């Protein structure tokens, strides 16, 4: 019994070593996520609405964001109860690491429009709209896998009518994901999965 416990502890330690240090700082590896490729990095409960989607609200779109922050700063904003903002996922630029901050059954406060928050899944991406170097191939690829998985689970077409930018939300004053976001490439990657 003691040997089994030691081996289990060693396996957990070895697995944790594979996760980048910046991710370990925000991730709770014991929590389940909606997307198997994500680590749990919970937003403050003050920053989203507890719901029972898709039975309470149907999910009919994915909204793509660029955080105008680093990955770690974005997670910190979502964890701060005073900020009143969150997204379901955050994707890191360099390695495409995915953190889940809000369960998909709950309504994240990401679109700035309640009628768009309730039926959508929000994905933030590390970076700035005017710095296309943040839009790495790995980030596009991992984000596209996440979006494809969401579309498959909710029966959404993998097209621009159902995968939109934050700037396309009515009443939004945001410009993200910005002119440097390669929509043709992104939708092609989503459809390759």
């Amino acid at each position: 019994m003691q040997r089994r416990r030691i081996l289990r502890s060693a396996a957990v330690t070895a697995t944790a070593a594979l996760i980048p240090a910046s991710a370990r700082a925000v991730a709770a590896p014991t929590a389940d996520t909606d997307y198997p490729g994500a680590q749990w990095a919970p937003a403050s409960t003050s920053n989203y609405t507890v719901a029972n989607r898709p039975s309470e609200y149907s999910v009919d779109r994915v909204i793509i964001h660029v955080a105008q922050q680093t990955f770690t700063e974005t997670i910190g904003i979502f964890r701060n109860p005073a900020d009143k903002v969150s997204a379901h996922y955050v994707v890191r630029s360099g390695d495409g690491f995915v953190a889940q901050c809000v369960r998909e059954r709950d309504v994240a406060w990401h679109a700035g429009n309640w009628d768009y928050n309730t039926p959508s899944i929000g994905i933030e991406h590390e970076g700035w709209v005017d710095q296309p170097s943040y839009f790495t191939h790995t980030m596009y690829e991992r984000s596209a896998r996440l979006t494809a998985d969401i579309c498959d689970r909710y029966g959404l077409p993998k097209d621009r009518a159902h995968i939109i930018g934050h700037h396309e939300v009515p009443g939004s004053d945001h410009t993200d994901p910005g002119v440097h976001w390669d929509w043709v490439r992104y939708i092609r990657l989503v459809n390759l999965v």
Side-chain angles (χ1 to χ4, degrees), residues 114-131:
W114 181 251
D115 292 334
Y116 274 67
N117 281 340
T118 54
S120 66
I121 303 292
I123 304 174
E124 285 282 0
H125 295 81
E126 176 181 36
W128 285 263
V129 296
D130 61 347
Q131 296 180 34

Side-chain angles (χ1 to χ4, degrees), residues 63-179:
I63 300 179
I64 302 299
H65 303 266
V66 173
Q68 301 294 103
Q69 296 289 335
T70 66
F71 176 87
T72 303
E73 289 168 337
T74 303
I75 300 291
I77 290 167
F78 294 170
R79 286 188 167 168
N80 183 345
D83 284 332
K84 305 298 183 208
V85 67
S86 64
H88 294 92
Y89 296 96
V90 182
V91 182
R92 191 164 50 208
S93 171
D95 60 2
F97 178 83
V98 177
Q100 182 171 1
C101 303
V102 176
R103 299 280 186 209
E104 290 179 14
R105 70 177 173 253
D106 296 326
V107 178
W109 300 345
H110 60 96
N113 177 326
W114 181 251
D115 292 334
Y116 274 67
N117 281 340
T118 54
S120 66
I121 303 292
I123 304 174
E124 285 282 0
H125 295 81
E126 176 181 36
W128 285 263
V129 296
D130 61 347
Q131 296 180 34
S133 61
Y134 276 92
F135 305 157
T136 65
H137 176 71
T138 302
M139 186 196 70
Y140 274 121
E141 190 174 68
R142 300 279 167 80
S143 175
R145 281 187 207 157
L146 169 60
T147 296
D149 183 75
I150 292 165
C151 289
D152 289 344
R153 285 186 284 113
Y154 293 97
L156 304 178
K158 297 174 182 175
D159 60 24
R160 284 286 284 121
H162 297 87
I163 304 166
I164 67 169
H166 191 184
H167 70 284
E168 295 171 285
V169 173
S172 174
D173 62 354
H174 287 253
T175 61
D176 61 302
V179 298

Side-chain angles (χ1 to χ4, degrees), residues 33-73:
T33 58
D34 296 305
Y35 176 65
Q39 286 280 329
W40 184 238
S44 167
T45 56
S46 298
N47 293 342
Y48 62 89
T49 300
V50 174
N52 187 20
R53 298 188 318 169
S55 57
E56 192 173 343
Y57 302 105
S58 63
V59 174
D60 64 11
R61 70 180 58 100
V62 176
I63 300 179
I64 302 299
H65 303 266
V66 173
Q68 301 294 103
Q69 296 289 335
T70 66
F71 176 87
T72 303
E73 289 168 337

Side-chain angles (χ1 to χ4, degrees), residues 17-39:
L18 297 174
I19 301 170
S22 59
R24 285 195 304 267
V26 299
T30 58
D32 292 329
T33 58
D34 296 305
Y35 176 65
Q39 286 280 329

